Amino acid sequence: MSEIFISGPIEWKNTGGLLGCILTLADMNASCMEMEKDKARSKNKMETAEQNNAKTEYYHRVRQKKVEAYKEAGLNLDDFQGSEQGRESMSSVMPSVSIHGARNLMQTLATSRRFIFRKGMPVTVQEHLRDTSAEPLSNRDPDWSDENVQVWKLPIEPISKSNNASLKFQHSRKRSFEDADGDESSPTPSPRSNAVTSFDESLEPYHQELRRNVVTEMFNSAWKSNELIETPLKEVQQPAMMFTRDEKSGKLNRYNLPLNEELPDINVWVRKPWPGAQIKSLPPTQPCRTATSYIFRHHRQRGKFKPKAATDLKVNPVVWSVLESGTSVLSKDGITVSPEMVLEPSRDGGGFAVIDLPSVDYIQPLVGRHEWKSPIIMSGLQAVFWILGSGLSQNTILRQFMENNPNLIHVISSPETSPNDISYDSSSIQTVRLKQIDPERYVVPFHDSNAPLELSRSSNDASSASKVIAIHRDLELRLEPRLDFQEAMTAMTILDTNRIAAQMPEEVLALARVASDEINSARFPDLTDTVPSPNAQIVCLGTGASSPSKYRNVSATFLRIPNHGSYMFDCGEGTVGQLRRLYPPSELGEVLSDLKAIWISHLHADHHLGITSLINLWREVVYEQNHENLRSGPSGWDNFGKKKKLFVFSGSPILSWLQEYAAVENGLLDGVVLVGSRRPIPDAKGCFTFSDVVWDGVHVSPTADVHENVINAVKERTGIVDLSSCYVEHCIGAHAVSITFPTGFKLSYSGDCRPSKRFAEIGKDSTVLVHEATFDDDMHRDAKAKKHSTMSEAIGVGLAMKAKRLILTHFSQRYQTIPSRNALDNFNVQFNDPEVAAPGDEEAVLDTPLQDPAMPDEDFELQQNQVKDTSYRDTTQQEPDAPIESSAATINVPGIQVDMKIAYAFDFLNVRVRDIEHLERFHPAVRRLFELLEQKEKQKAASNPSDIARREREEARKQRTKEVLANKEKNEGGKEKRKRGRGRSIKQDSDMKEGETQTEGLEQNHA
């Protein structure tokens, strides 16, 4: 895939999957290029010198014959050899991706510069900014083309441009409750607001170039994480990791800032800042309502080559390809043969259009465009794909337009005409099987194969050739060599629960019946009085790590407390889709109405890319239907408690990204309150509490009586009594959190991290702990290198925390099963807590793409955002991370002493707190199910040679990686001694080399 075309306006519902798509393409391209290199190396090793000489001689003989044939035909082979060599060398060219769309596409990509980072896959963005609706048809050359297709872009402006004309972008600023609860349509800024910067169209060329440079550095940068530069200490922006060089040995040693002392006048070695991180803020922009549609058409197709005619004209077969490409040649009789003499008549290439209309305001500008009357553009057009907003499928103007173009096939995608079919079969089938085992805690994903509205032709004339159909899964349109539209849903897989149930092994069902009998017969204690909020529900919407897979979505955990509220912990890509599958439309509105707060643990795409979609859905279902412009006096505290609000708790990287992206999407943060914490002081052990908030630039603390109403208002609206969080070892700004509710119910959530003693302290006596368990115990080295936890380590944190219940989640996507408890006999857990450095400059930039150890962030802000203005997936480049110094503690607890109830999470698990212990009874049945499925997959793969070869390559790669890591740690010390033994002088270049070697063995994060 080299070209991506974004239709409609640039907003998250159209671009939300773009970042994940780019990351997937980058990783696939990197893997393919590595495989090609491996094949080339293996081929070179296998071929002997004699074989190489024989191959060279063969190619020489073939070339000589071609030279003679071309000369006989009056041609020079060298004139045609360049294009052939160019095609042959295309496979070795660095893969790249071009993305096409409307204004703000580049801005959207650039806002992700702090958490998206890849090397070796250039990404170019082509925004269509000019209005082509009034251009003469004679001047409408394709807006883009390659050797396969031509593309005409149709930017469509809505009839009502009032929003576009009046919108003025404002930089992120702190706002008071008076601003938040006043008349939001008033253009008058608050007297307490900061300076406002308006969007200036005349500066856009300069701003576009800056955005383009940011995007270029995100995907094709030469930056290296272990490249150090010497810098005066006083010029280093803090926080930063620094090193000094030992004058005698030349080694690099970690340097820590002195506390409460003046900085010495010395030079230190610091990591070269990542270019994207040096851009503190992007240029201003404003939301754009332009919706882009496209017309795709093949080039005019040459007629079919007629070999008999060429033979009759005595044309040498060696030059048939030249003749077919359009060049005249000489026959063996010396007669000039033109292409028309051996080709059938040419014809127009096939084509189709993709029309995206969000609302009725776009219909009239679309049907009135000149392109529909242009024979040059419309010739060969065979089908139109309509992407329609709600209520547009039966619009009379559109239906008349379709009837006026009877030779086109119209394929409609709209909420009224498209069935709500299952998209991810494997995940849904797994959930159906789990429901067979444990029917009380799993439900069949909601779906409906019947469209709400049956499509019919708009014309009653039977002779009308117009065809209107609804889009569905696996619908395929082939344009060449002839139109082939596969309308029948032959390839579609419908979730047949009866068929899946019939395939369930009886052995598994027997184990499930045993578990049910044990639960029904056992005398489980009544937890109503002993456990707070025993009916609170833990809903696992995403339980996988890194990126979405066929069985698990990325991180999202949903907490529902009856008669109190709902809370989302992390919100990875696809979370809204999971909610729509779990709750039918009649229930989803109530679920969203109860949603009070979202917690995002850190700025990795697999933990936060779904938050924008969730906010948009909440605004659509809850906020916009209940919004009232109220105002009561200058303070506005009373009104703050009357209006629906959604609170987002997180660190400054997430809050900054949300505010920065809000400049693209109009009203995104209306009704949303962003809540953060102050930077911890050095002796605060890296922890902060709910009361440590910043409002309008003022630090609010319990002793500040004038601001107690802020704290009380937030507590009242969220239903949270206490929120405590701490930095954990994973990436910059990674936090774990513990939240207490009025009933005494306490939930602790780890996010991604190594085991943390601070987290165990703030989460002491938690009712439920939700902890990541990315790796199995035999992959402890991988867990430590990638700053995740093993299953035993997660259990050890729960024991240290004295949690009553533990839910393990965030499993590596390579695993479908659950481990045996027999393998978890002892829990030897070393706690790794990042050092808390001295507070740094509030404007300090990140010196890596969010892969540094955790360190203090900037001051966080609590903001009521009405401003129009900020790894599925560890999304940064897999470069070694810098070492960290940790305060380590070890806990050793024999497994036989474990009384904590432990559950393993799967997508769509919905369990009450009082029933978590029941899940343990079903573990044998679930484990046996996956064992049988794995055996079946192995038997199936045994007959597929390509799968066998792929697995062998993967196993060999893993083994090589482990050997390289082990040898590096073993031999690194000897390598340094040999270097010094040779008496190598230490100069600037060799210093840098040695500095890299010194840190390389320690920097194993994502190695």
Side-chain angles (χ1 to χ4, degrees):
M1 184 186 297
S2 60
E3 307 294 328
I4 299 176
F5 295 86
I6 305 296
S7 65
I10 298 302
E11 52 191 22
W12 199 258
K13 69 178 182 180
N14 295 327
T15 61
L18 180 60
L19 296 176
C21 178
I22 295 174
L23 292 170
T24 301
L25 289 175
D27 294 341
M28 289 177 59
N29 289 335
S31 299
C32 290
M33 292 184 71
E34 189 62 32
M35 289 176 61
E36 290 296 327
K37 292 179 181 178
D38 289 341
K39 288 181 181 179
R41 286 192 290 265
S42 301
K43 188 176 181 180
N44 292 336
K45 290 180 181 179
M46 294 174 60
E47 291 183 349
T48 63
E50 184 178 349
Q51 290 173 324
N52 284 328
N53 292 335
K55 184 186 295 185
T56 301
E57 292 177 3
Y58 169 77
Y59 285 141
H60 181 71
R61 290 196 301 271
V62 171
R63 177 177 171 78
Q64 283 299 115
K65 290 182 179 179
K66 292 184 72 173
V67 169
E68 293 173 1
Y70 273 62
K71 185 176 180 180
E72 182 183 27
L75 304 172
N76 184 358
L77 177 61
D78 292 336
D79 295 338
F80 299 89
Q81 199 72 23
S83 59
E84 295 180 5
Q85 292 176 348
R87 285 193 296 270
E88 293 175 357
S89 64
M90 284 297 291
S91 59
S92 61
V93 176
M94 180 184 296
S96 62
V97 174
S98 295
I99 308 173
H100 307 255
R103 184 194 293 273
N104 284 334
L105 178 56
M106 198 126 53
Q107 180 90 3
T108 299
L109 289 175
T111 60
S112 63
R113 65 193 179 281
R114 293 188 175 94
F115 59 91
I116 299 290
F117 182 75
R118 283 293 184 269
K119 288 186 177 182
M121 196 192 77
V123 171
T124 58
V125 178
Q126 299 187 25
E127 293 186 0
H128 194 77
L129 302 178
R130 81 177 195 273
D131 184 6
T132 58
S133 59
E135 291 185 6
L137 293 179
S138 58
N139 296 338
R140 279 309 309 273
D141 293 330
D143 297 295
W144 180 87
S145 66
D146 62 4
E147 66 274 13
N148 299 313
V149 297
Q150 306 171 86
V151 180
W152 286 266
K153 301 178 181 180
L154 311 181
I156 304 171
E157 299 287 347
I159 293 177
S160 173
K161 286 188 174 182
S162 57
N163 286 355
N164 265 8
S166 62
L167 280 174
K168 292 297 181 181
F169 168 79
Q170 297 179 348
H171 275 302
S172 171
R173 61 181 178 88
K174 306 180 181 73
R175 303 193 61 188
S176 66
F177 277 105
E178 292 90 291
D179 297 328
D181 292 302
D183 182 359
E184 295 171 0
S185 63
S186 172
T188 306
S190 166
R192 299 167 61 183
S193 66
N194 296 336
V196 174
T197 303
S198 298
F199 173 77
D200 188 345
E201 185 73 38
S202 64
L203 297 177
E204 269 302 281
Y206 167 75
H207 291 162
Q208 279 291 82
E209 189 62 28
L210 189 149
R211 298 182 187 110
R212 194 180 309 279
N213 291 337
V214 171
V215 173
T216 299
E217 291 292 343
M218 288 169 58
F219 299 102
N220 194 29
S221 175
W223 176 85
K224 295 182 179 179
S225 66
N226 55 2
E227 184 177 353
L228 305 177
I229 56 176
E230 189 174 15
T231 307
L233 175 60
K234 295 182 178 180
E235 297 180 8
V236 176
Q237 288 186 322
Q238 302 295 335
M241 184 167 293
M242 300 170 290
F243 300 88
T244 56
R245 186 177 299 285
D246 186 278
E247 295 182 358
K248 296 181 179 180
S249 65
K251 285 186 176 182
L252 291 174
N253 300 312
R254 175 75 182 273
Y255 178 80
N256 295 317
L257 284 175
L259 297 179
N260 303 322
E261 296 181 14
E262 185 177 353
L263 295 180
D265 187 14
I266 61 172
N267 287 350
V268 294
W269 293 86
V270 294
R271 179 178 296 171
K272 183 180 179 181
W274 177 54
Q278 298 183 72
I279 307 298
K280 298 181 181 180
S281 61
L282 295 175
T285 188
Q286 64 181 6
C288 178
R289 296 181 63 197
T290 302
T292 305
S293 297
Y294 302 92
I295 295 177
F296 298 85
R297 238 197 59 200
H298 285 166
H299 294 279
R300 188 169 180 80
Q301 302 294 299
R302 290 192 303 269
K304 187 177 179 180
F305 184 76
K306 297 183 290 186
K308 186 177 183 304
T311 303
D312 294 342
L313 293 171
K314 299 181 180 181
V315 178
N316 192 325
V318 176
V319 296
W320 280 7
S321 60
V322 178
L323 185 61
E324 186 179 6
S325 66
T327 302
S328 298
V329 301
L330 294 178
S331 68
K332 294 180 180 180
D333 295 337
I335 301 173
T336 301
V337 179
S338 63
E340 293 78 12
M341 300 168 66
V342 295
L343 295 176
E344 294 179 354
S346 61
R347 58 182 177 82
D348 291 327
F352 65 95
V354 177
I355 307 299
D356 194 319
L357 303 177
S359 69
V360 69
D361 290 341
Y362 294 84
I363 294 178
Q364 195 61 53
L366 167 76
V367 299
R369 290 191 67 97
H370 300 302
E371 286 85 355
W372 305 118
K373 303 175 183 178
S374 169
I376 299 175
I377 298 176
M378 294 295 291
S379 58
L381 198 68
Q382 296 165 305
V384 180
F385 290 85
W386 299 88
I387 304 174
L388 303 179
S390 180
L392 300 187
S393 59
Q394 296 298 307
N395 183 274
T396 55
I397 300 178
L398 281 184
R399 301 295 286 180
Q400 185 63 46
F401 179 85
M402 296 176 189
E403 188 168 342
N404 292 341
N405 293 274
N407 297 323
L408 300 178
I409 297 177
H410 300 275
V411 187
I412 296 181
S413 172
S414 75
E416 299 85 21
T417 61
S418 301
N420 184 11
D421 290 316
I422 292 293
S423 300
Y424 306 108
D425 296 330
S426 298
S427 174
S428 300
I429 292 173
Q430 174 178 276
T431 305
V432 173
R433 288 170 175 160
L434 291 173
K435 177 177 171 57
Q436 284 184 267
I437 296 174
D438 187 359
E440 291 190 15
R441 279 157 281 277
Y442 291 93
V443 298
V444 176
F446 176 80
H447 64 288
D448 187 357
S449 298
N450 299 315
L453 179 64
E454 190 73 22
L455 279 179
S456 61
R457 291 183 180 178
S458 58
S459 173
N460 294 324
D461 183 3
S463 63
S464 173
S466 177
K467 188 175 184 182
V468 181
I469 62 175
I471 200 167
H472 53 73
R473 274 186 52 180
D474 302 316
L475 190 65
E476 185 174 324
L477 172 63
R478 296 182 180 178
L479 298 176
E480 300 295 346
R482 63 181 182 274
L483 180 65
D484 182 12
F485 207 113
Q486 298 182 359
E487 181 181 349
M489 301 166 68
T490 55
M492 183 174 179
T493 303
I494 300 176
L495 190 65
D496 187 345
T497 55
N498 293 329
R499 177 179 57 84
I500 298 171
Q503 295 173 350
M504 175 67 81
E506 179 58 32
E507 179 184 355
V508 175
L509 294 176
L511 291 172
R513 287 193 293 269
V514 170
S516 297
D517 293 341
E518 290 178 353
I519 293 173
N520 295 330
S521 62
R523 296 180 179 178
F524 285 101
D526 185 1
L527 302 179
T528 305
D529 298 328
T530 59
V531 175
S533 302
N535 292 320
Q537 300 173 10
I538 309 294
V539 184
C540 299
L541 299 173
T543 59
S546 182
S547 61
S549 74
K550 61 188 297 186
Y551 295 113
R552 297 181 184 271
N553 194 42
V554 288
S555 297
T557 301
F558 195 41
L559 170 65
R560 300 188 68 187
I561 304 179
N563 303 318
H564 187 77
S566 300
Y567 307 84
M568 185 71 73
F569 293 85
D570 278 338
C571 191
E573 185 180 5
T575 297
V576 167
Q578 298 288 86
L579 283 171
R580 291 186 183 275
R581 291 295 177 210
L582 188 61
Y583 301 106
S586 58
E587 189 178 348
L588 183 59
E590 179 184 351
V591 171
L592 292 171
S593 182
D594 288 340
L595 181 61
K596 293 186 175 181
I598 303 172
W599 165 266
I600 304 297
S601 60
H602 63 288
L603 191 66
H604 274 166
D606 60 323
H607 288 257
H608 80 272
L609 274 190
I611 188 173
T612 309
S613 297
L614 182 58
I615 290 175
N616 275 327
L617 182 63
W618 177 85
R619 289 179 59 247
E620 175 186 344
V621 175
V622 179
Y623 180 75
E624 294 181 357
Q625 295 182 6
N626 296 277
H627 176 65
E628 297 178 5
N629 280 327
L630 301 175
R631 190 178 187 87
S632 74
S635 65
W637 305 122
D638 294 336
N639 280 343
F640 183 76
K642 294 180 181 179
K643 298 161 75 172
K644 284 284 185 178
K645 299 275 190 294
L646 179 62
F647 291 78
V648 177
F649 294 85
S650 190
S652 65
I654 286 288
L655 305 188
S656 297
W657 172 71
L658 275 173
Q659 290 177 290
E660 196 168 61
Y661 175 75
V664 173
E665 201 156 332
N666 187 28
L668 173 66
L669 297 181
D670 288 352
V672 177
V673 181
L674 304 184
V675 185
S677 88
R678 275 179 58 86
R679 177 179 60 236
I681 58 176
D683 59 356
K685 297 183 178 180
C687 302
F688 65 84
T689 62
F690 176 79
S691 60
D692 283 328
V693 297
V694 174
W695 173 255
D696 203 23
V698 179
H699 174 220
V700 180
S701 67
T703 58
D705 296 336
V706 69
H707 292 292
E708 283 186 2
N709 44 10
V710 179
I711 300 291
N712 294 334
V714 175
K715 287 183 177 181
E716 179 182 354
R717 294 314 313 276
T718 60
I720 295 175
V721 172
D722 180 72
L723 183 149
S724 297
S725 180
C726 64
Y727 291 108
V728 288
E729 182 186 355
H730 182 64
C731 70
I732 285 181
H735 291 79
V737 68
S738 183
I739 298 179
T740 305
F741 298 92
T743 61
F745 177 80
K746 186 175 183 179
L747 183 137
S748 296
Y749 179 79
S750 69
D752 286 1
C753 65
R754 295 288 298 143
S756 170
K757 183 179 179 181
R758 295 174 191 151
F759 182 40
E761 291 172 351
I762 66 173
K764 185 177 180 181
D765 298 323
S766 290
T767 312
V768 177
L769 166 63
V770 180
H771 202 289
E772 71 121 293
T774 306
F775 293 101
D776 208 345
D777 286 352
D778 61 353
M779 301 188 71
H780 182 268
R781 180 188 296 274
D782 298 77
K784 192 171 182 180
K786 298 185 178 182
K787 298 185 179 180
H788 287 287
S789 298
T790 65
M791 294 187 182
S792 288
E793 288 174 333
I795 295 174
V797 173
L799 295 174
M801 190 180 287
K802 297 183 179 179
K804 298 178 177 62
R805 303 287 184 272
L806 169 63
I807 296 180
L808 297 177
T809 185
H810 197 269
F811 299 107
S812 174
Q813 298 285 24
R814 63 172 62 93
Y815 307 119
Q816 185 186 1
T817 185
I818 60 177
S820 172
R821 285 289 298 275
N822 295 330
L824 306 176
D825 290 333
N826 293 287
F827 307 104
N828 297 285
V829 182
Q830 184 178 38
F831 291 114
N832 300 102
D833 288 293
E835 284 190 340
V836 182
D841 184 358
E842 292 185 5
E843 300 299 326
V845 297
L846 306 179
D847 65 346
T848 72
L850 290 189
Q851 286 298 325
D852 250 355
M855 60 180 62
D857 294 317
E858 307 155 1
D859 281 355
F860 297 177
E861 297 171 356
L862 164 64
Q863 297 185 0
Q864 167 67 27
N865 283 277
Q866 310 294 343
V867 194
K868 308 300 184 287
D869 129 285
T870 48
S871 117
Y872 14 98
R873 187 185 316 243
D874 289 349
T875 54
T876 53
Q877 179 69 18
Q878 305 296 305
E879 289 285 347
D881 203 349
I884 76 162
E885 295 183 8
S886 303
S887 55
T890 302
I891 180 173
N892 183 297
V893 183
I896 58 174
Q897 298 181 8
V898 176
D899 189 36
M900 178 176 57
K901 304 304 178 183
I902 303 175
Y904 300 95
F906 291 93
D907 286 15
F908 298 115
L909 170 65
N910 186 346
V911 59
R912 294 183 303 175
V913 172
R914 66 191 309 165
D915 294 338
I916 290 178
E917 58 184 306
H918 295 177
L919 292 174
E920 289 186 327
R921 304 298 180 107
F922 291 102
H923 286 170
V926 175
R927 186 178 298 110
R928 184 55 182 159
L929 169 64
F930 291 136
E931 289 173 354
L932 294 175
L933 292 175
E934 186 176 359
Q935 292 175 10
K936 186 177 180 180
E937 288 292 328
K938 288 182 178 179
Q939 293 173 359
K940 182 179 178 181
S943 60
N944 190 337
S946 62
D947 285 348
I948 296 175
R950 177 180 55 80
R951 286 197 303 274
E952 289 177 349
R953 290 195 302 269
E954 181 66 17
E955 291 298 326
R957 185 189 64 78
K958 292 180 183 177
Q959 187 61 33
R960 288 198 303 270
T961 301
K962 290 183 179 180
E963 292 175 356
V964 168
L965 291 173
N967 292 333
K968 183 182 293 184
E969 292 182 353
K970 180 179 178 180
N971 300 328
E972 187 174 9
K975 186 191 300 182
E976 292 297 322
K977 291 179 181 179
R978 289 194 298 271
K979 284 184 178 180
R980 293 193 296 271
R982 288 193 295 265
R984 184 176 297 176
S985 61
I986 301 178
K987 298 182 180 179
Q988 178 66 26
D989 293 341
S990 60
D991 284 353
M992 293 297 298
K993 189 99 174 177
E994 185 183 353
E996 294 174 11
T997 305
Q998 175 70 19
T999 58
E1000 186 177 14
L1002 298 174
E1003 297 174 343
Q1004 291 299 331
N1005 185 33
H1006 298 282

